[in-house]
Amino acid sequence: MTINRRELLGYGAAALGATVIGLPQIAKAAGELTIAYNVNLPSWDPTTGPSAVNPTIQGLYQSVFDQFIPQKPDLSFAPGLLTEWGWNDDRSKIMITVREGVTWHDGSPFTAEDVVWSLQRAGDEKTGNPIQFVWKNVNNFKIAGNKITGDVVQFDPVYFKWMSFLTGYIMPKAYYEKVGAEGFEKAPIGTGPYMVDKFERNAFLRLKANPNYWGGKPAFENVTIKFVTDAASRVAEIESGSSQVTLEIPYEEYDRLIAKDGLAGSCKNVSDIGMIFFNDIDVMLDKNVRQAAVMAVDKKLLVDRLLRGYGQPIDTLETPEYEAYDPSIKVEHNPEKARELLAASGYSPEKPVKFTIQTTKGFKPKDYEMVQAIVGMWRKVGIEASIEVYEIAKHYELRAADKLAPAAFYNWGNAIGDPTTSTGFATYGPSPHSVWDSQDLIDMINPLWGEKDETKRIAGWKAVDKYIAEQAYVLPLIQYAQPIVHAKGVNVVQHVSGALLPALMTPA
């Protein structure tokens, strides 16, 4: 899951953009970095509310806060604020060792109490953590110095993986209890590589390097992140020199920009996928309609034509990097069969089945254009879909309330690569992240949540993926390649999670 991006050098051309949106003018200095980011930051608490499960803003959170267990750019797990973690032999307890000598941004000491408070708070349903159903599975924590133990209420095989994923952040107990939720929004602190210097909602975020960061002070002293949700505007930012790093721009613009003097780029497959949710309402209850909608889409054409060959088609919600990826599961592109299925339900190009599909526009490269192309493919077989555009925040709101349209485009992030956090949460009815609620799938998935035999668990998820493909409960489209363009004066490390991390950037 997650998540998502930034980088750059800041030789000070930020003054150009500053005059437009009211940013402070920045002097030319090697320690400055300006990033044109593709999404706004709705909230500063990375553990509560809909924004906590938005993969695209995790890179912002990871710049200020530390997760329990960090991931390296290749998604491998590494010691962080927790230096050791694991289960006892019968999986009835967890054991954790906490890093010593770390301080919060306000100078107060980070302790094991912060870890326990963060875990207890995350597991309390009153707090509003959208992943509370994971965190509640361990309680009765005990602290002995920098060692923590906890009792397992219900075994969850991916409990520790979640410590590197959505909502898996350590919060400052004493500070939060002192200032409260409202005070924390106004002046957030963490233990991360950067401290919040200034934040203007819907405009920009100004970060200052944490000189006492346990992982070493980052190379850029000051980082300005402009919230530029329009893709064309992000292209203008990087081309004018107003920003030195940007991401998620159209692929044709990526190719054009990296050919220019002074600019470079990176475009690698990341853990994000493009997909279309089907909601079990109206015409989507008809299996023929779902199967036709899936078979009519030429995914390879989408990648080759719209995405210029970047990314790759997928037939399940797993990518080759995920643990339950099964290359044998294939869904054919067969428009003729799609017409036959629709005809069996009384539909045709002259008498089409009608429904709405929702999508973002400019949030991901060619998201709207991809949906337009899919709607065109559907039209040829007897599906008439009307497009409704919304902001990504609206998608989260509607999905949590189970009120998405019959079809809704989305990019799903799964930085930990586990099937529970891809297929599981996206298709399991009781999950707040799913809108498909059929009992057959619920019954098939239920035993897998607590399966202790790892081989059996992964095989079970592969069987679920195969069944979902046969029933057409979801329409997987592509694995994304994430385009990042940056000034040649900046070294950028691309993170497979999709998180754009200023702390990984250095002057060239």
Side-chain angles (χ1 to χ4, degrees), residues 225-255:
I225 297 172
K226 302 178 185 180
F227 303 128
V228 186
T229 57
D230 178 66
S233 298
R234 292 196 298 278
V235 170
E237 280 281 325
I238 194 77
E239 194 162 18
S240 68
S242 183
S243 291
Q244 294 83 47
V245 180
T246 195
L247 72 163
E248 302 294 9
I249 59 174
Y251 294 103
E252 66 271 18
E253 293 284 26
Y254 171 81
D255 286 341

Side-chain angles (χ1 to χ4, degrees), residues 63-64 194-197 205-209 221-223 225:
S63 295
V64 176
Y194 281 98
M195 303 179 290
V196 176
D197 185 30
L205 166 64
R206 178 86 167 151
L207 300 173
K208 189 173 184 63
E221 180 68 28
N222 299 298
V223 177
I225 297 172

Side-chain angles (χ1 to χ4, degrees), residues 45-330:
D45 188 336
T47 69
T48 62
S51 60
V53 291
N54 181 347
T56 60
I57 59 177
Q58 299 307 307
L60 299 176
Y61 288 149
Q62 289 170 30
S63 295
V64 176
F65 309 101
D66 277 309
Q67 295 188 284
F68 293 94
I69 302 170
Q71 282 179 293
K72 296 178 182 178
D74 65 357
L75 300 187
S76 60
F77 302 100
L81 294 187
L82 304 188
T83 57
E84 296 176 308
W85 57 90
W87 315 90
N88 65 349
D89 290 342
D90 65 1
R91 303 292 196 267
S92 63
K93 287 185 181 294
I94 67 164
M95 291 91 68
I96 292 171
T97 302
V98 177
R99 184 179 296 274
E100 297 180 296
V102 177
T103 58
W104 293 99
H105 291 161
D106 65 353
S108 60
F110 160 76
T111 69
E113 286 189 1
D114 294 305
V115 176
V116 168
W117 180 79
S118 296
L119 289 170
Q120 289 174 328
R121 180 173 178 265
D124 183 351
E125 62 182 9
K126 299 188 189 75
T127 303
N129 187 307
I131 312 298
Q132 180 265 348
F133 55 89
V134 169
W135 303 118
K136 71 176 182 179
N137 290 326
V138 179
N139 64 19
N140 193 28
F141 296 97
K142 291 184 172 59
I143 300 172
N146 71 329
K147 306 285 187 181
I148 299 170
T149 60
D151 292 341
V152 175
V153 178
Q154 180 174 313
F155 177 71
D156 184 339
V158 293
Y159 181 79
F160 286 114
K161 289 183 179 180
W162 271 103
M163 291 188 173
S164 300
F165 201 32
L166 306 174
T167 77
Y169 295 88
I170 302 179
M171 300 282 280
K173 177 180 185 293
Y175 180 80
Y176 193 94
E177 290 179 337
K178 176 183 176 183
V179 303
E182 187 175 335
F184 192 81
E185 283 296 322
K186 292 179 180 177
I189 67 167
T191 56
Y194 281 98
M195 303 179 290
V196 176
D197 185 30
K198 189 173 183 181
F199 174 56
E200 293 288 344
R201 196 173 302 277
N202 299 322
F204 71 92
L205 166 64
R206 178 86 167 151
L207 300 173
K208 189 173 184 63
N210 178 4
N212 301 313
Y213 184 53
W214 61 268
K217 183 181 177 181
F220 287 102
E221 180 68 28
N222 299 298
V223 177
T224 300
I225 297 172
K226 302 178 185 180
F227 303 128
V228 186
T229 57
D230 178 66
S233 298
R234 292 196 298 278
V235 170
E237 280 281 325
I238 194 77
E239 194 162 18
S240 68
S242 183
S243 291
Q244 294 83 47
V245 180
T246 195
L247 72 163
E248 302 294 9
I249 59 174
Y251 294 103
E252 66 271 18
E253 293 284 26
Y254 171 81
D255 286 341
R256 182 180 68 83
L257 289 171
I258 63 172
K260 294 175 68 73
D261 289 343
L263 294 178
S266 173
C267 191
K268 298 177 181 178
N269 286 355
V270 292
S271 59
D272 286 6
I273 66 170
M275 60 177 284
I276 292 176
F277 278 104
F278 290 154
N279 198 353
D280 57 331
I281 57 174
D282 306 332
V283 297
M284 284 305 173
L285 292 170
D286 186 335
K287 181 179 177 180
N288 288 338
V289 171
R290 298 194 308 271
Q291 288 185 318
V294 172
M295 288 184 178
V297 177
D298 188 341
K299 302 171 188 177
K300 186 175 187 306
L301 187 67
L302 294 177
V303 170
D304 291 345
R305 295 280 181 85
L306 277 178
L307 308 185
R308 297 174 70 90
Y310 293 110
Q312 64 180 359
I314 55 174
D315 290 313
T316 71
L317 298 182
E318 319 285 341
T319 76
E321 293 82 4
Y322 294 5
E323 289 187 59
Y325 175 70
D326 185 347
S328 72
I329 301 174
K330 298 292 183 186

Side-chain angles (χ1 to χ4, degrees), residues 449-470:
W449 295 122
E451 178 57 61
K452 295 182 179 180
D453 184 319
E454 186 67 2
T455 301
K456 187 176 178 181
R457 185 176 78 91
I458 296 301
W461 281 113
K462 288 182 178 181
V464 169
D465 282 326
K466 184 176 181 181
Y467 181 72
I468 289 172
E470 292 168 350

Side-chain angles (χ1 to χ4, degrees), residues 288-289 291-292 295 336-346:
N288 288 338
V289 171
Q291 288 185 318
M295 288 184 178
E336 190 56 44
K337 181 66 179 297
R339 289 188 196 94
E340 292 174 6
L341 289 165
L342 289 170
S345 290

Side-chain angles (χ1 to χ4, degrees), residues 377-486:
M377 295 172 186
W378 283 345
R379 188 178 298 114
K380 293 177 181 178
V381 301
I383 297 173
E384 184 180 315
S386 56
I387 301 176
E388 176 188 325
V389 176
Y390 56 12
E391 294 294 321
I392 190 64
K394 186 66 175 179
H395 169 89
Y396 291 117
E397 177 187 325
L398 293 173
R399 194 175 80 197
D402 198 0
K403 292 185 178 180
L404 287 177
F409 176 85
Y410 180 65
N411 70 291
W412 187 278
N414 183 19
I416 57 176
D418 197 272
T420 63
T421 45
S422 53
T423 300
F425 290 152
T427 61
Y428 181 68
S431 163
H433 315 293
S434 167
V435 291
W436 191 268
D437 304 311
S438 62
Q439 193 61 44
D440 56 343
L441 203 51
I442 293 171
D443 292 342
M444 197 171 183
I445 291 175
N446 268 336
L448 300 175
W449 295 122
E451 178 57 61
K452 295 182 179 180
D453 184 319
E454 186 67 2
T455 301
K456 187 176 178 181
R457 185 176 78 91
I458 296 301
W461 281 113
K462 288 182 178 181
V464 169
D465 282 326
K466 184 176 181 181
Y467 181 72
I468 289 172
E470 292 168 350
Q471 298 296 317
Y473 285 152
V474 70
L475 173 46
L477 293 170
I478 60 165
Q479 177 183 13
Y480 275 109
Q482 183 190 58
I484 298 173
V485 178
H486 57 90

